[in-house]
Amino acid sequence: MHGLLDIESLPRPEIEAILARSKDFQPAPKQPFQRFTTLQNRTVVNLFFESSTRTRTSFEIAARRLGAEVLSIAVAASSVSKGESLVDTLNTLGAMRPDAIVMRHAASGAPHFLSRYLPIPIVNAGDGTHEHPTQALLDARTILDRRGTLEKLRVAIIGDIAHSRVARSNIFLLSKFGVEVVLCGPASLLPREMGKMAPRVELTTDMETAIRDVDVIMMLRVQLERQHEAAFPEGEYFRFYGLRPEHVERAKPDVIVMHPGPINRGQEISSEVADSQRSAILNQVENGVAVRMAVLERVLAG
Ligand code: CP
């Protein structure tokens, strides 16, 4: 596997292999993570042009647990702030011969564009509104842990669908396993064309309809940083699209509540739900390390 750019072009057997391998990297309950030497003498560069807590940290931990050296570059303190272009920045880093570059960028397609010029594998850690492949993989790992299978499931993805790379990667991944996906949000954040991404994708603006009979409720943050005008009246969002205990009570008794984070309590999800037994939010974070170990191993060690 030469890098990981998206889920759309990743064949199902590759996804299955990563998910299976990530299971080996999950620690036993209350046990510390194991350390490996698989990537000894390898160097991974983390280059994040957008802010991140979960993805950047878990890639760094994942690389270290496999024995690799990691350099995390703070873009604000790099020569990007002096006007250096993306191509020149990547070529400069490439000249130092790291073994892989993990990259997040606000422009959709930036890692795809660069991977055509650089011989070094690039792992996409989120590109604009396009894809966030490792998020979808860790989400799938989390669903598998609770359900044992992805097949025959029905998943609701609720919130700012229009700007969500997490939604897009999840739609691609879940659809490869025949999952029914319901996309829900205000009409202004629910592009009709996303209903055509896969055969079993439905759209609704009604939250009650979205959560009916689903196995998983995946909530999304409203991405104000990607909106140029207000898509919804301020203060009204939580009333119509905030997940509250009464929604979970009306859903399937074993429904799983997920959120890629960062969560905005009282906007798209209430604290009662985020901190409840139904919530898998911290399991998602924990699985981020195991899944990213599996991805880095596959990219760097074959
Ligand atoms: N889920 C996710 O990408 O979180 P971060 O922005 O904190 O990395």
Side-chain angles (χ1 to χ4, degrees):
M1 194 161 112
H2 188 79
L4 173 63
L5 297 178
D6 54 49
I7 296 291
E8 184 178 14
S9 63
L10 195 66
R12 177 170 160 164
E14 286 275 355
I15 295 172
E16 287 171 329
I18 292 167
L19 294 176
R21 185 63 175 140
S22 66
K23 188 97 193 129
D24 301 332
F25 292 132
Q26 287 176 322
K30 301 207 170 98
Q31 294 298 310
F33 267 96
Q34 254 186 291
R35 292 188 177 275
F36 298 81
T37 53
T38 327
L39 299 188
Q40 219 168 26
N41 304 322
R42 302 297 187 95
T43 304
V44 176
V45 169
N46 256 345
L47 184 62
F48 279 60
F49 291 85
E50 279 191 326
S51 56
S52 168
T53 299
R54 281 146 284 270
T55 313
R56 198 181 73 120
T57 312
S58 59
F59 263 116
E60 191 163 328
I61 291 173
R64 285 188 203 281
R65 287 201 177 136
L66 290 169
E69 282 184 6
V70 194
L71 286 171
S72 284
I73 297 180
V75 168
S78 74
S79 289
V80 172
S81 63
K82 299 179 196 160
E84 189 163 56
S85 73
L86 181 58
V87 172
D88 286 336
T89 301
L90 268 284
N91 274 330
T92 302
L93 293 173
M96 298 179 214
R97 309 278 181 99
D99 295 287
I101 294 177
V102 177
M103 176 186 164
R104 171 172 286 187
H105 200 277
S108 298
H112 300 68
F113 168 72
L114 290 164
S115 70
R116 280 188 235 126
Y117 292 93
L118 275 184
I120 299 162
I122 294 183
V123 179
N124 181 3
D127 64 319
T129 58
H130 177 231
E131 279 224 37
H132 191 346
T134 55
Q135 180 70 45
L137 288 164
L138 74 88
D139 289 343
R141 180 67 269 161
T142 306
I143 298 172
L144 280 172
D145 289 345
R146 297 234 178 170
R147 283 284 183 279
T149 179
L150 295 175
E151 277 159 22
K152 302 204 172 81
L153 295 184
R154 188 169 165 85
V155 174
I157 306 179
I158 301 172
D160 180 358
I161 307 291
H163 300 100
S164 179
R165 55 195 176 205
V166 174
R168 290 176 60 84
S169 286
N170 266 296
I171 294 166
F172 285 129
L173 190 152
L174 295 169
S175 298
K176 288 176 200 267
F177 291 82
V179 174
E180 290 176 2
V181 179
V182 190
L183 304 178
C184 173
S188 52
L189 296 174
L190 189 65
R192 293 210 152 274
E193 59 271 20
M194 287 185 74
K196 297 179 192 138
M197 281 176 64
R200 307 182 86 185
V201 179
E202 299 164 29
L203 305 184
T204 178
T205 54
D206 178 43
M207 184 126 162
E208 297 290 338
T209 306
I211 62 175
R212 198 174 300 141
D213 296 328
V214 294
D215 302 283
V216 179
I217 301 173
M218 214 177 261
M219 299 305 296
L220 300 174
R221 181 175 66 88
V222 177
Q223 302 202 18
L224 295 173
E225 72 273 27
R226 299 194 206 283
Q227 293 178 18
H228 303 296
E229 53 193 54
F232 207 77
E234 209 179 330
E236 289 290 291
Y237 190 85
F238 186 65
R239 200 172 131 215
F240 290 95
Y241 295 102
L243 189 67
R244 302 185 293 277
E246 60 264 33
H247 296 120
V248 179
E249 277 159 29
R250 287 198 285 276
K252 278 187 168 179
D254 55 354
V255 73
I256 311 168
V257 174
M258 298 174 67
H259 191 309
I263 62 172
N264 288 306
R265 293 168 185 263
Q267 270 192 41
E268 71 273 5
I269 192 165
S270 69
S271 280
E272 292 93 321
V273 176
D275 301 330
S276 72
Q277 291 291 317
R278 301 261 57 88
S279 168
I281 296 171
L282 290 179
N283 304 116
Q284 290 172 266
V285 176
E286 187 171 14
N287 278 332
V289 176
V291 161
R292 289 172 178 130
M293 286 173 82
V295 167
L296 289 176
E297 182 189 63
R298 205 158 176 83
V299 166
L300 286 165

